[in-house]
Structure formats: C-alpha cells, structure tokens
Amino acid sequence: MLYAVVAALNLVACCYLLFRRANAIAPNVTPPVRLRRWTAAFFAFMTLSHLWYMPSIYLTSSEDKMLCYDIGGMLDSMTTFPLAIVILFTMLQDRRRPLWLAFVMVIPLVVLLALNLGTHDEAFLPMFHAYLLLLAIGLTIYMIHEVRRYGCWLRDNYADLEHKEVWQSFVVLAVMLLGFGIYSFEIGGLANKYIVQVNNIILICYLLWRVESLSDLSISQQQSISTGLSVPSSCNNIGPLLQMHCIDTQLYLQHDLSLIQLAKAIGTNRTYLSLYFSNQNITYNAYINNLRINHFIRLYRKAVADQHFFTAQQLALESGYHSYRTFSEVFKRQTGQSVTVWMKTANKQEQSQTYLDSAERKLASPESKTENEG
C-alpha cells in the first residue's frame, strides 16, 4: 500500500508541474519553466520505476525477482539517476551547464549492471557500488564549488536574494544520495523498503516546494544581451551617474532591482557597472542594501522627531524590502546590531539629545539670564 501511494504521489506531482500554470505554493514567484519540466520528467520516471517493481511483490522465484531487480536497476541508472543530477544543475541559473554530462556520468553504472545481467554473475556489483560511491563524492564536491560560485554571482547581480538562494540544493542532494544509497546498497533488509519510500515522499514534497519557490532568472539574462549593446559610459563617470539616477531618484527602493536594470537606467552596461563596483571593493548587493539601510535610518529618525506612530516592519517595507526577515539579516550585517538593539540605542541617544537641546534653550532664555544675574 505504501508503495502504491508513493507511485501515485509521483504521478500527481508530475501532472501538477506539467499542466498547472499557476503557482499554488508560492503565488508571487515565477519559477523556471526549464526546471519544472525536468523535475516533472524525474517524477514521471519515478512513477514508471515503481510500476516496474510492483509485480516483483508477487514473484515467488528468487531468480525471477533478481532478474526484475537487475533490469529495474539498469533502467533507473539510465533515467532517474541522471535526471536527479540534471535537476541539481538546472537549479543554478548563472549559466547553462551541459546536461548531457549527467547521462555520461551514469554510463559505467549501466554497463556494470548490464554485465551483471548478461553473465548472471554478481562479481560486478562491488564495482557498481564503488563507482556509485565515487560518483556521490565527486558530485558533492562539484555542487559545493558551483553553489558557492552561484552565490557570488547572485550577490554581484541582484539586490534582493529572496527566492534565489540555492543552498537548499545541498538538502536535495543529501536526500537524493541518501535514497539512492539505501536503495543501491540494500541496507537494512525489509526496513530498507520502507526507508526508501519514506525518503521518496520527503523528496517529492521538498522538490515541489523548491521548484515552485525558486525565482526564474532567465528573463534577466536575456535582458543582459540587449542592454549590453548600449554605449557604455566611462567608469570614472559612473559614480556621478549613480548619484543622479539611483540615489537622487531613490531607484534603489525598487524591489528586485537587478544590476542589469540599474546599468540600463544610468546608460551603461553590466560589464562596466560590475567593474566599477569591483574597483570600489563592494558587491552590487551590498551597495543597494547600504542605500536601503540608510534610507530606513532616515525614515526612523524623521518618524521619531515628528512623533509619528510606526513599526519597524512598515519602515522596512518603505525602504525597499518585501521580507522583514531579509531586512533584519541585512541590517545586522551592515550595522553590527539587531534592529531592536539599534532602535533602543537610538532612542536613548534621541532622548539625551532632546534633553541637552532643552537645557541649552533654557539657559539661553531671558528668564534664565535674569535669574543668573540675580
């Protein structure tokens, strides 16, 4: 029953990604179409894999069961294994990685299982397991390197990182490797079958959430091609242009403002603007967030001076942040204090300054001078 339920869940997930255009999980996010399709293909082949193994429950001959498992393992190595790797690759949108490499990686697995199937000799299984282990280690090292590189690319090109960070790819990778490891090494006997299916349910839920909550950055990359044709301004002139078209107009308050959009606004291209920030030893993300935090501080001081009611969440929203959690993280990174601690400190300073101003006015008043003369 559990096996049938998991097969049905895979099929439902596949149909949802293929045929539902609206995003039911994160309605305000437009996910990458390419990632949705590859993930749907993964769920489709997971469904077929479950359907293939289901008759083995009723097989009584050990030879027939072994034949079913060997063929199923070879089919999985040709489909679900490489598709899982493709999903990890397509989550990283800084560039299009050659997806055919994922299918090349699994060729030794298919060959070893084919030899095992053709010779009826399990001598090839240790080699299969050894290569699978090396593949997992190599893939983990590669993903660590690529995710770090992707994070740098995001900070260099985007002011807002909501729905863009993909450190969760490591979670997907870990769940996949755990499931494939238990499945391939047959750890735990009968419990193995239950663990694999529970792991599969976790993977279905997590992949659906991750695919639907990840922003599509392909539009911005297409914009970079068109804006890159504009006549670039000298790097020496970019500072005044930023002051005129970004700071004075408060363009930095625009949510999800990208490096490409800012370059277009000031009349240059992405390369020159990136070079300017690099020469200033700052990332684009840090530049925009610095302007936003300063804007928040100005709004806060004005609200306190005018004695207007406000909340930190409201001021953060007016400063260009859609997420207060993101704002608080950026604020602490920029100022070294949490928002709450900073506001308490600022209140004390405002009160002290108000008291000093009041004392100075009192001393400067005519009545005070008369009293002092007396």
Side-chain angles (χ1 to χ4, degrees):
M1 290 176 64
L2 177 61
Y3 204 83
V5 167
V6 174
L9 286 176
N10 276 290
L11 181 60
V12 169
C14 172
C15 293
Y16 167 80
L17 291 178
L18 283 178
F19 303 115
R20 182 179 174 87
R21 295 183 179 180
N23 189 337
I25 298 175
N28 60 328
V29 175
T30 302
V33 176
R34 186 165 173 253
L35 180 59
R36 282 175 67 99
R37 290 172 178 171
W38 281 113
T39 308
F42 174 78
F43 286 141
F45 280 102
M46 286 291 286
T47 305
L48 294 175
S49 176
H50 278 71
L51 293 177
W52 172 266
Y53 287 112
M54 201 168 289
S56 66
I57 299 172
Y58 305 101
L59 295 177
T60 56
S61 170
S62 58
E63 292 184 359
D64 292 340
K65 283 189 175 184
M66 185 60 65
L67 180 63
C68 179
Y69 292 152
D70 287 344
I71 296 175
M74 188 166 63
L75 294 175
D76 287 339
S77 298
M78 295 169 62
T79 56
T80 55
F81 284 15
L83 285 173
I85 299 173
V86 165
I87 290 172
L88 294 172
F89 285 0
T90 50
M91 283 183 180
L92 309 179
Q93 302 179 69
D94 54 331
R95 62 187 177 91
R96 282 185 174 256
R97 290 162 179 79
L99 302 182
W100 56 267
L101 285 175
F103 296 91
V104 172
M105 290 178 189
V106 300
I107 288 178
L109 296 177
V110 177
V111 171
L112 289 171
L113 287 176
L115 290 173
N116 182 71
L117 182 63
T119 60
H120 300 284
D121 186 0
E122 296 186 358
F124 296 101
L125 287 181
M127 298 173 63
F128 171 85
H129 293 150
Y131 181 78
L132 186 63
L133 181 61
L134 290 175
L135 180 61
I137 294 173
L139 185 60
T140 302
I141 295 173
Y142 175 80
M143 286 300 298
I144 290 173
H145 175 268
E146 291 300 300
V147 168
R148 287 173 62 89
R149 178 179 175 180
Y150 184 66
C152 293
W153 178 79
L154 286 176
R155 286 187 289 274
D156 288 341
N157 289 274
Y158 291 92
D160 304 283
L161 298 182
E162 294 100 336
H163 311 303
K164 294 182 181 65
E165 290 285 13
V166 288
W167 60 266
Q168 295 93 340
S169 298
F170 292 126
V171 179
V172 177
L173 176 64
V175 174
M176 286 179 174
L177 292 179
L178 176 63
F180 292 147
I182 296 173
Y183 162 80
S184 302
F185 290 93
E186 298 182 357
I187 302 169
L190 182 61
N192 166 277
K193 300 183 184 300
Y194 290 96
I195 294 173
V196 169
Q197 300 313 312
V198 171
N199 185 82
N200 203 333
I201 294 173
I202 295 172
L203 184 60
I204 293 170
C205 297
Y206 195 87
L207 274 180
L208 279 176
W209 174 82
R210 181 64 273 181
V211 170
E212 294 292 74
S213 64
L214 189 64
S215 294
D216 184 10
L217 306 182
S218 60
I219 298 175
S220 298
Q221 292 182 10
Q222 291 173 3
Q223 289 177 346
S224 69
I225 297 175
S226 59
T227 57
L229 298 175
S230 61
V231 179
S233 303
S234 169
C235 286
N236 297 329
N237 297 331
I238 287 181
L241 290 172
L242 286 173
Q243 178 68 42
M244 184 186 306
H245 298 290
C246 180
I247 299 176
D248 294 346
T249 62
Q250 296 186 341
L251 180 63
Y252 56 85
L253 297 180
Q254 177 183 319
H255 180 66
D256 224 9
L257 179 68
S258 67
L259 179 77
I260 296 165
Q261 292 170 326
L262 180 58
K264 187 176 182 179
I266 68 173
T268 185
N269 62 29
R270 182 177 66 175
T271 303
Y272 277 76
L273 190 54
S274 296
L275 182 60
Y276 171 80
F277 287 129
S278 179
N279 291 337
Q280 300 296 318
N281 293 319
I282 191 173
T283 65
Y284 167 71
N285 179 267
Y287 172 78
I288 296 296
N289 279 302
N290 185 54
L291 293 176
R292 289 177 175 177
I293 295 301
N294 288 336
H295 187 84
F296 171 86
I297 293 173
R298 288 195 298 272
L299 290 178
Y300 171 81
R301 288 175 175 167
K302 186 177 185 302
V304 171
D306 297 341
Q307 297 183 346
H308 289 164
F309 174 78
F310 66 91
T311 63
Q313 289 85 349
Q314 176 187 350
L315 296 184
L317 183 65
E318 294 177 11
S319 300
Y321 292 95
H322 272 196
S323 167
Y324 181 77
R325 177 173 170 270
T326 301
F327 160 75
S328 60
E329 291 175 354
V330 172
F331 189 92
K332 188 172 184 178
R333 187 166 60 246
Q334 297 281 84
T335 64
Q337 293 179 311
S338 67
V339 181
T340 305
V341 172
W342 181 88
M343 291 175 67
K344 288 181 180 178
T345 305
N347 280 333
K348 291 179 180 178
Q349 291 175 349
E350 289 288 337
Q351 291 172 2
S352 299
Q353 187 62 42
T354 302
Y355 175 79
L356 290 173
D357 292 343
S358 176
E360 288 178 358
R361 286 194 299 270
K362 186 176 181 180
L363 289 172
S365 65
E367 292 83 359
S368 177
K369 290 182 178 179
T370 303
E371 292 175 0
N372 289 336
E373 289 174 357

